[in-house]
Amino acid sequence: MDVAEWIIVGILAGTLFVFLIVGLILLVKLIGIANQAKKIMETGQSIADKTNDVVENVKGMTSVGGLVKTFVNKYNKDNAKKH
């Protein structure tokens, strides 16, 4: 092989090595971002569940909500006694 061919092979090998290292670093960073996104989703789900509990409590405290809830509970108890 000529000197020019060796230079081209060396440049290509160096470029491939750099892209390999950069690709590995990028892969590690993407895995870290995916793990953080999973934690954020779990936290968001927890917040949504807590918000749903608060809404249920507030709904039970309103006059119409409390009245309907009392009626339904009484109806269910009456039906449970019959069966």
Side-chain angles (χ1 to χ4, degrees), residues 21-31:
I21 297 300
V22 170
L24 288 174
I25 292 171
L26 180 65
L27 181 65
V28 169
K29 294 288 185 182
L30 287 175
I31 290 172

Side-chain angles (χ1 to χ4, degrees), residues 7-72:
I7 291 172
I8 292 173
V9 169
I11 291 171
L12 289 174
T15 305
L16 179 63
F17 180 73
V18 168
F19 279 117
L20 179 65
I21 297 300
V22 170
L24 288 174
I25 292 171
L26 180 65
L27 181 65
V28 169
K29 294 288 185 182
L30 287 175
I31 290 172
I33 290 172
N35 288 337
Q36 288 179 354
K38 183 177 179 182
K39 289 178 186 177
I40 290 170
M41 287 182 0
E42 290 172 354
T43 303
Q45 184 64 41
S46 174
I47 290 170
D49 291 341
K50 289 177 183 177
T51 304
N52 192 25
D53 291 341
V54 169
V55 168
E56 287 295 323
N57 288 339
V58 169
K59 188 171 75 172
M61 285 187 246
T62 61
S63 60
V64 175
L67 181 64
V68 171
K69 190 173 185 179
T70 304
F71 177 75
V72 169

